[in-house]
Amino acid sequence: MKSLKIWRITLIMLAAVSLASCNSDDDEIPSEDYTFRALAEMKNPYIGQLKYGLKDEGTRQTIDNVVAESAEELLLEIPLEPIAAQVQDEAVAKQLREWKTAKVRATYNFNNIEDEYFSFGLRTELVPDERYARPFTRTSFAEYEGLQLLFSQDYTGEYQKPNEALSFNICVDKVLINQEPLEDFKPVIFRYEGVKTSIMPSVWKSTCQIRYSLFGVSEDFLRFYDVNVEYLDVNGQMQSETIKNPTWVYEPAPVSFVSAPDEFKCRIFALRKSDTPELTDDYYEIGYGINTHVRFLDAEGNEFYSAKHTEPSSYTWGTDKAGMQQFLETPEIVIENFSLNLNKDDMISSYHFFI
């Protein structure tokens, strides 16, 4: 498949969810009044698990602390990784992994409303996103670049009033790339199970900001040492680089609280070159600065959690030839070793702005 020329291709997400009546003796469609009451009953954020995997295989990946919002419509994010894993075109797969998730919303179509149980169908579509969607109107679908996902219409959803639990299934049945079907695509099923939560929409809209950076690296340091960095990117993938310039930074676009990784790592270290230059100067300077942090901001842009590099954040040292000779006796220098593991459940329960 040729590399993706990404423009004016509509991403249409259609899902239909139906469930047989729990104990109804007829197929009457609930009245408008019953529908309004059901929507009011269900209106709330939900938090739970999103499981996904290939339709005919038992293995399922699980994402915890996934937030869905129910009001007049249903809002959810689904991961694009199981789609990207089946795309042979490396450029297209890379683009999907950079997007990471697709935001969808669905209108409810109730087919049974009882005292303690609702069942419904969903008509699902893409939520416009400024990162990769064209302008959207009510008479047209939002556009993703070069990709169409078509959802099966054979899956079910329900709401249980006693435990305030929402569950539903959707299935990506077909994928089109530049309007051509993706060959040998295996359908991917997504199963969501969540319960009402005190989390407010600010969580859905909150962001995680990551910055790992090294700056002001002195020329002498780069002459005698190879400076390397190893870090987990925003998708949880380990990356490694050798820094050739005085400045290096990893600062991806902010991601939502629910999409943010649970583990963060950044290790910066210098290894003495095997062929170090001869010491001929009378003065040498070793120096660098570090700015490493992970920050979470609420919907209004206020910081409610941060983890930062411990002091000092910069280092400068000047020495003569003898001092430099002694300094070079150190084969490896650890500049930064930042590590953070988050428990989102604890964060949700600990920070008052969620409530």
Side-chain angles (χ1 to χ4, degrees):
M1 184 185 297
K2 293 183 179 179
S3 220
L4 199 56
K5 272 259 189 204
I6 309 177
W7 67 292
R8 299 184 61 82
I9 302 296
T10 303
L11 170 62
I12 305 173
M13 295 186 170
L14 297 174
V17 183
S18 63
L19 197 67
S21 174
C22 186
N23 56 16
S24 177
D25 294 326
D26 53 52
D27 295 326
E28 291 184 4
I29 298 174
S31 68
E32 186 173 296
D33 181 57
Y34 274 90
T35 296
F36 287 152
R37 287 167 57 188
L39 288 173
E41 188 77 32
M42 295 170 59
K43 185 176 182 179
N44 211 76
Y46 294 75
I47 189 166
Q49 287 187 336
L50 182 67
K51 297 183 178 181
Y52 62 91
L54 300 184
K55 180 179 179 180
D56 297 324
E57 296 183 5
T59 303
R60 292 289 182 267
Q61 300 295 319
T62 300
I63 305 176
D64 294 317
N65 300 314
V66 175
V67 174
E69 285 188 277
S70 178
E72 289 76 17
E73 298 175 318
L74 178 65
L75 291 175
L76 180 71
E77 285 192 14
I78 61 171
L80 289 172
E81 173 56 35
I83 312 300
Q86 299 189 58
V87 176
Q88 298 298 318
D89 188 311
E90 293 183 1
V92 178
K94 181 175 182 293
Q95 179 68 84
L96 297 184
R97 290 189 169 102
E98 288 177 355
W99 288 341
K100 192 174 182 180
T101 62
K103 297 180 181 179
V104 297
R105 65 184 173 196
T107 53
Y108 289 105
N109 180 24
F110 290 96
N111 52 48
N112 188 29
I113 298 177
E114 299 185 7
D115 290 341
E116 296 187 348
Y117 168 89
F118 309 151
S119 63
F120 50 82
L122 294 173
R123 181 176 178 81
T124 307
E125 64 187 14
L126 174 69
V127 174
D129 190 300
E130 63 183 7
R131 293 174 298 169
Y132 41 73
R134 290 172 57 82
F136 172 80
T137 68
R138 275 297 186 188
T139 58
S140 66
F141 289 103
E143 294 187 7
Y144 272 33
E145 300 172 339
L147 175 73
Q148 289 179 285
L149 303 182
L150 303 181
F151 280 60
S152 172
Q153 302 182 16
D154 299 327
Y155 292 82
T156 61
E158 63 181 34
Y159 174 71
Q160 299 284 349
K161 290 179 63 175
N163 54 1
E164 299 183 316
L166 177 70
S167 62
F168 56 86
N169 301 283
I170 58 177
C171 175
V172 179
D173 194 44
K174 296 180 181 178
V175 175
L176 305 181
I177 297 177
N178 286 339
Q179 298 181 316
E180 294 293 329
L182 182 62
E183 295 182 4
D184 301 321
F185 177 75
K186 296 180 180 180
V188 180
I189 294 177
F190 298 86
R191 169 70 177 177
Y192 181 80
E193 296 180 352
V195 295
K196 282 188 177 182
T197 175
S198 58
I199 297 178
M200 300 307 291
S202 58
V203 175
W204 180 269
K205 299 173 184 177
S206 67
T207 57
C208 170
Q209 297 180 345
I210 303 171
R211 182 181 176 89
Y212 305 146
S213 65
L214 181 69
F215 57 90
V217 183
S218 66
E219 181 180 347
D220 287 332
F221 200 9
L222 291 175
R223 283 172 60 197
F224 292 94
Y225 285 83
D226 290 321
V227 182
N228 302 277
V229 60
E230 298 173 345
Y231 63 95
L232 286 173
D233 65 19
V234 73
N235 298 313
Q237 302 297 312
M238 182 61 73
Q239 307 292 338
S240 60
E241 300 177 32
T242 297
I243 299 173
K244 301 292 186 181
N245 301 308
T247 299
W248 170 85
V249 62
Y250 174 71
E251 191 171 27
V255 296
S256 69
F257 175 85
V258 294
S259 299
D262 296 318
E263 184 178 14
F264 303 84
K265 286 185 178 180
C266 179
R267 182 173 183 266
I268 304 174
F269 58 99
L271 298 176
R272 188 184 58 215
K273 294 178 183 290
S274 57
D275 53 345
T276 56
E278 184 180 353
L279 296 176
T280 58
D281 299 335
D282 295 325
Y283 179 80
Y284 296 89
E285 183 176 284
I286 301 297
Y288 53 80
I290 305 169
N291 184 355
T292 298
H293 63 249
V294 174
R295 304 170 66 222
F296 284 88
L297 309 179
D298 64 20
E300 286 70 44
N302 301 311
E303 181 180 292
F304 64 88
Y305 178 86
S306 68
K308 302 178 181 179
H309 167 79
T310 56
E311 298 295 339
S313 59
S314 62
Y315 175 80
T316 302
W317 178 67
T319 186
D320 58 15
K321 187 185 302 183
M324 191 62 186
Q325 181 65 57
Q326 186 176 6
F327 184 83
L328 290 173
E329 292 177 3
T330 304
E332 178 176 348
I333 300 169
V334 177
I335 299 171
E336 170 66 297
N337 194 11
F338 178 83
S339 180
L340 173 66
N341 286 277
L342 292 179
N343 185 315
K344 292 181 181 177
D345 288 334
D346 289 345
M347 291 180 67
I348 289 169
S349 62
S350 298
Y351 294 94
H352 62 82
F353 90 100
F354 286 120
I355 302 175

